[in-house]
Amino acid sequence: MRRVVCPGSFDPVTNGHLDIISRASRLYDEVIVAVLINITKKSLFTVDERIEMLREVSAQYGNVRVDRFHGLLVDFCETNGISAVVKGLRAVSDFDYEMQMAQMNYSMAKVETMFMTTNPLYSFLSSSLIREVAKYGGDVSGLVPEPVIGRLRARLAES
Ligand code: ADP
């Protein structure tokens, strides 16, 4: 069984994330989307909310599972029988850091990292930019899945 992980914050999930998740689901037997629990980083959505959104928008893919992790990704991989990490590369700016992490993960635990080039439609997209645009009332339709739009509106109306 070829099981891989797509790790990230997903605060919130964007169409860029979903594009990578769906493409990975066609290549591997099982894809685990793992939400990083980072208590030191302020987030717009709780981990539970992010997981709920991810489950809703990935339900159409039969071999995608959503989970959470904290600590080292390689430990999560070992516990779950995962041999590779799948990451999307947006631009050269992603590359330096991603390469360091990939090499560190391989040297620690022989966990491989597979990079997918981003869909050009979404190469400028990040969760932080979505939060920023939505905060000031910008239109994010077409950039995040439909259920996320409603959640963003509701969350930002609270603040
Ligand atoms: P961000 O806040 O930058 O969106 P995340 O930590 O939630 O980052 O993203 C997890 C991973 O998803 C990233 O490391 C990257 O591999 C991938 N990713 C994020 N946005 C995109 C995108 N627009 N296109 C392709 N891959 C992406």
Side-chain angles (χ1 to χ4, degrees), residues 71-85:
L72 293 178
L73 181 60
V74 289
D75 291 339
F76 180 81
C77 289
E78 193 182 15
T79 311
N80 291 279
I82 294 165
S83 51
V85 180

Side-chain angles (χ1 to χ4, degrees), residues 1-156:
M1 152 93 81
R2 288 168 309 161
R3 184 183 287 141
V4 294
V5 63
C6 291
S9 305
F10 305 103
D11 185 34
V13 58
T14 69
N15 285 346
H17 294 132
L18 207 51
D19 179 65
I20 297 292
I21 293 166
S22 67
R23 285 159 63 197
S25 81
R26 289 197 290 272
L27 290 174
Y28 298 100
D29 298 317
E30 189 174 28
V31 176
I32 302 184
V33 180
V35 178
L36 171 65
I37 304 170
N38 184 351
I39 47 169
T40 58
K41 202 168 149 192
K42 205 174 164 299
S43 61
L44 183 61
F45 295 102
T46 66
V47 170
D48 285 340
E49 289 169 332
R50 285 179 258 161
I51 288 176
E52 256 177 52
M53 285 186 268
L54 277 163
R55 288 205 172 123
E56 189 176 349
V57 302
S58 65
Q60 57 187 306
Y61 312 112
N63 60 343
V64 173
R65 194 149 66 75
V66 185
D67 203 347
R68 69 189 73 208
F69 78 103
H70 60 88
L72 293 178
L73 181 60
V74 289
D75 291 339
F76 180 81
C77 289
E78 193 182 15
T79 311
N80 291 279
I82 294 165
S83 51
V85 180
V86 172
K87 293 248 113 166
L89 274 187
R90 282 164 287 198
V92 187
S93 49
D94 279 345
F95 185 75
D96 266 355
Y97 183 61
E98 292 295 348
M99 193 171 77
Q100 283 176 18
M101 278 208 298
Q103 290 176 336
M104 177 61 94
N105 287 338
Y106 188 81
S107 87
M108 281 193 294
K110 301 278 180 290
V111 169
E112 295 282 3
T113 301
M114 313 303 288
F115 290 112
M116 274 184 185
T117 51
T118 181
N119 180 327
L121 285 175
Y122 307 128
S123 59
F124 58 93
L125 253 189
S126 68
S127 296
S128 56
L129 201 49
I130 288 293
R131 292 196 301 272
E132 202 60 20
V133 170
K135 186 166 126 189
Y136 295 106
D139 182 10
V140 294
S141 54
L143 304 179
V144 295
E146 200 58 37
V148 174
I149 296 179
R151 297 265 198 154
L152 272 168
R153 268 199 212 113
R155 177 53 38 90
L156 293 164

